Amino acid sequence: SIEGEEKLTQECKELLLSLPRERGWRTPYLYLYQGFWCQPAEIQAISTFQKHFQAKNSDIVVASIPKSGTTWLKALTFAIVNRHRFASSKNHSLLTFNPHDLVPFFEYKLYEKNQVPDLSNLPEPRLFSTHVPFPSLPSSMKKSNCKIVYICRNPFDTFVSSWHFSNKIKPGSSPQLTLEETFELYCKGVVGFGPFWTHMLGYWKESLERPNKVLFLTYEDLKRDIYSHLKRMAKFLDCPFTLEEERGGVIEELIELCSFEKMKELEVNKSGKSIKNFENKNLFRKGEIGDWVNHFSPWMVEKLSKVIEEKLGESSSII
Ligand code: A3P
C-alpha cells in the first residue's frame, strides 16, 4: 500500500506503482520520479506544477537541495527585492512571517493536494521556490527569462542537517532508521530530491550556460562572505544596490534582518508552522559550517569523500 493513498488521485497511484522505490528516511518509501527521489504527495504536486505553471520573465525562483540554506536564501531574496517597500526594517514582513510564507514552495504549498492555483494576478516580481531538479522544471520556466537563485551545501553538513530535521518532524519519537542506515541511503543518492550530485550538477551546468538565468550559490559562500554575495545577488536580480544604499548601511541592515540569531528568536519562528504541519523552530538548528565532525566516524568520512569524488569528479570544486 502507498502512504497517504487516500489523498492521491488514481492517476498518481498508477504512476507510483510503476516507479522504483527505496526505504524512506522518515516515511515508508521514497519513489524514483524522473530520476530523483520523492514522497508520493510530492510527486503528485510536482506533476501538477509541471503541467500547469506558466512562468513570467519577471519571476524569481529560489531553488535548493533540502537543508542547504533554503530558509536563509528565501529571506535574503525577499529582503533584497522588497527593500524599497519597507522604509525601516522595524515593520518588515520578515519580522512577522516565516520566509516560507513569503516565498512559497510550488510542491508544498501552491500545487499541493492536486490544486491548480491562479497565480497570474500576483504582483510582480512573483517570488516562488522549489526543490525540483533543473531538468524537471516546467518547460515555461526553463524557456523564459525568469531568474533562479540556487543554493546547495557541503554534503557532509547537509546530511547531518537532514538527519536531525527528519527525526524532528517524523511521527513517533525514535528514529525510523539508524544514523548509519540513513547514511548508506544518502551515499546511494536516496534522499528527498536526490541524488545530491545530480541536483547540484544540473543547476551548475545551467549556471555556466546561462549565467543571467541561474545564480549558483553555496551555504559556505554565504557564511564566509555574506556582504559580497548579497551584492552579487542584487546585481543578478537586476536591482543592484546603489552607492548611496551601500554607504547608508542598507546591506548590513538586510544581513542583520536575515541572520540566524535574529530569525531564530522571532515569535513566528518559535511557535509558528509554515511548511505543511512542521514547526518553524526546527528550521533553525545550529546554522554553522562543519557540525558534521560531531557525527561522522572515520569510515563515514572516507565513504562520502569517495562518493563525492566519484560522482562530482572535476566539478567537486563547486562545493
Ligand atoms: P543546521 O541543521 O546545520 O543548523 P533549509 O533552510 O534548507 O531547511 O536549511 C536548514 C539549515 O539552514 C539548518 O542548518 C539551519 O540551522 C540553517 N539556517 C536556517 N536559517 C539560517 C540563517 N538565517 N542563517 C544561517 N543558517 C540558517
Side-chain angles (χ1 to χ4, degrees):
S1 74
I2 300 163
E3 174 225 353
E5 193 169 351
E6 60 292 346
K7 295 187 201 127
L8 302 174
T9 60
Q10 189 57 31
E11 192 186 349
C12 184
K13 281 187 227 169
E14 279 166 25
L15 169 67
L16 286 169
L17 291 173
S18 71
L19 300 178
R21 65 182 197 184
E22 274 275 4
R23 289 183 75 179
W25 290 36
R26 63 181 169 82
T27 54
Y29 295 103
L30 283 172
Y31 293 80
L32 189 65
Y33 173 69
Q34 301 181 350
F36 58 100
W37 295 96
C38 272
Q39 292 173 30
E42 291 166 350
I43 293 176
Q44 177 163 291
I46 293 166
S47 86
T48 317
F49 162 50
Q50 290 172 325
K51 265 185 230 143
H52 297 281
F53 181 68
Q54 284 305 321
K56 295 187 183 186
N57 287 330
S58 58
D59 288 344
I60 295 172
V61 180
V62 172
S64 69
I65 293 189
K67 309 322 293 174
S68 60
T70 321
T71 314
W72 191 16
L73 188 63
K74 285 188 184 191
L76 294 168
T77 307
F78 182 89
I80 291 173
V81 172
N82 291 295
R83 66 187 187 271
H84 304 301
R85 267 177 54 201
F86 302 101
S88 122
S89 44
K90 286 197 180 58
N91 63 354
H92 205 287
S93 290
L94 279 165
L95 298 175
T96 41
F97 293 92
N98 176 272
H100 295 286
D101 291 320
L102 301 171
V103 187
F105 275 114
F106 290 115
E107 58 271 22
Y108 297 126
K109 192 88 148 239
L110 302 170
Y111 290 91
E112 64 155 9
K113 299 188 185 128
N114 210 31
Q115 67 192 2
V116 182
D118 179 9
L119 306 169
S120 58
N121 294 322
L122 291 179
E124 297 179 29
R126 304 182 301 178
L127 264 57
F128 301 119
S129 86
T130 190
H131 288 317
V132 170
F134 189 84
S136 286
L137 293 177
S139 56
S140 81
M141 238 168 103
K142 287 188 273 191
K143 280 188 212 137
S144 81
N145 287 326
C146 76
K147 304 250 183 202
I148 301 176
V149 194
Y150 176 76
I151 191 162
C152 61
R153 184 183 190 183
N154 173 338
F156 289 75
D157 283 337
T158 312
F159 170 74
V160 169
S161 187
S162 306
W163 161 254
H164 282 290
F165 187 71
S166 69
N167 289 329
K168 281 269 167 56
I169 65 172
K170 67 170 255 316
S173 53
S174 56
Q176 168 168 325
L177 301 172
T178 64
L179 178 81
E180 288 74 18
E181 285 168 324
T182 315
F183 179 72
E184 297 283 2
L185 287 173
Y186 188 70
C187 289
K188 281 201 291 179
V190 184
V191 55
F193 301 89
F196 65 82
W197 53 87
T198 320
H199 205 285
M200 290 170 179
L201 288 173
Y203 281 97
W204 173 245
K205 195 170 142 252
E206 201 59 27
S207 77
L208 295 180
E209 279 166 23
R210 294 167 78 189
N212 292 326
K213 174 151 194 88
V214 178
L215 179 66
F216 187 97
L217 299 168
T218 68
Y219 186 80
E220 293 74 24
D221 282 343
L222 298 189
K223 283 296 276 191
R224 292 194 182 113
D225 185 1
I226 184 68
Y227 192 93
S228 56
H229 282 97
L230 215 56
K231 277 175 66 173
R232 226 182 125 200
M233 281 173 67
K235 201 167 163 216
F236 171 77
L237 295 172
D238 291 334
C239 53
F241 293 106
T242 61
L243 208 55
E244 208 178 12
E245 283 180 306
E246 252 189 82
R247 289 193 183 135
V250 171
I251 302 182
E252 283 89 346
E253 224 173 288
L254 300 189
I255 292 173
E256 159 72 13
L257 181 68
C258 302
S259 71
F260 179 81
E261 294 72 23
K262 174 99 186 177
M263 292 187 69
K264 190 182 163 84
E265 292 310 319
L266 296 173
E267 198 48 46
V268 63
N269 292 332
K270 285 204 257 186
S271 59
K273 290 181 177 183
S274 299
I275 307 175
K276 296 206 212 165
N277 220 14
F278 306 150
E279 292 179 283
N280 291 342
K281 65 172 195 238
N282 295 325
L283 293 165
F284 305 91
R285 192 182 65 92
K286 276 199 163 179
E288 288 169 6
I289 297 177
D291 187 38
W292 64 267
V293 295
N294 301 312
H295 298 78
F296 274 60
S297 40
W299 73 268
M300 291 167 72
V301 179
E302 193 180 330
K303 176 151 185 163
L304 186 53
S305 306
K306 262 203 193 118
V307 170
I308 293 172
E309 197 184 305
E310 217 176 276
K311 302 294 184 182
L312 289 177
E314 282 178 4
S315 304
S316 50
S317 60
I318 65 179
I319 42 157

